[in-house]
Amino acid sequence: MHNNLIYLTDGHGKVDATQLSDFEWARLVADNRDSTRRQLVKCAWCWDEDKVTHWMKTYSRTNGARVISHQAGECADHPYQSLESDEHKAYCDRVERVGMAEGFQARREARAGDGRTRSDVLLVGSRHVSYEMQHSPFKRRHGAKGADPSVPRR
């Protein structure tokens, strides 16, 4: 679950959705079927930080994973520090350290000047340099054009 802090408009207030029982979660998903019309689940991050109301979708994946997400087309730039891997944090630390050594001011989870995007690390100096760390392990047979990395190329 990416965005677990939500406001419930049914009187429960701010809730950590990971703390809901399976029954409570199933009930919430059922009650929130048409989330923009129902207006039951509000993004706590958007409200607390920017006083903007975004009505959240709630559903479960086939593997049982709970999902709370923004509607398509809404800004969903949130710092998910609790979900960041140690590797991701290390990359951010390195960018911050090198940027500061080069004379930049480093800001973590900072919004761009237009307020629309958020970066893992924003370096501010004679230029603004935004870093968003994206990495994932490569899997067998998912290389270039589906090639098997264990088979040598000719």
Side-chain angles (χ1 to χ4, degrees):
M1 181 177 310
H2 296 295
N3 190 5
N4 58 332
L5 289 179
I6 55 177
Y7 280 104
L8 298 179
T9 60
D10 63 359
H12 286 93
K14 192 171 186 176
V15 174
D16 182 344
T18 61
Q19 303 301 310
L20 297 175
S21 69
D22 289 340
F23 175 78
E24 291 170 320
W25 173 254
R27 178 77 186 258
L28 178 64
V29 169
D31 289 348
N32 196 44
R33 282 277 177 228
D34 184 0
S35 54
T36 54
R37 184 181 60 77
R38 179 67 174 95
Q39 298 184 345
L40 174 64
V41 180
K42 181 165 66 171
C43 178
W45 180 265
C46 291
W47 181 251
D48 289 344
E49 289 292 311
D50 303 319
K51 300 298 184 231
V52 173
T53 298
H54 284 157
W55 300 111
M56 307 297 282
K57 297 184 295 186
T58 53
Y59 57 95
S60 295
R61 292 200 171 123
T62 55
N63 65 1
R66 298 176 179 187
V67 179
I68 298 176
S69 66
H70 279 261
Q71 306 291 334
E74 288 182 351
C75 181
D77 296 348
H78 298 296
Y80 301 116
Q81 292 97 341
S82 61
L83 301 177
E84 289 179 349
S85 68
D86 290 339
E87 182 181 17
H88 184 269
K89 291 175 189 172
Y91 278 117
C92 291
D93 291 344
R94 182 175 179 1
V95 167
E96 184 176 359
R97 192 171 50 253
V98 170
M100 290 177 67
E102 293 295 323
F104 289 89
Q105 291 179 337
R107 295 188 299 205
R108 297 291 275 269
E109 300 299 337
R111 284 204 182 270
D114 63 8
R116 293 177 48 192
T117 59
R118 184 182 299 267
S119 304
D120 284 332
V121 180
L122 179 64
L123 300 177
V124 179
S126 58
R127 295 183 177 179
H128 286 71
V129 182
S130 173
Y131 283 89
E132 185 66 28
M133 307 311 154
Q134 302 294 322
H135 55 85
S136 65
F138 288 104
K139 297 178 182 175
R140 293 177 69 79
R141 300 186 332 161
H142 286 87
K145 296 183 183 178
D148 186 337
S150 65
V151 177
R153 293 185 179 182
R154 294 181 181 204

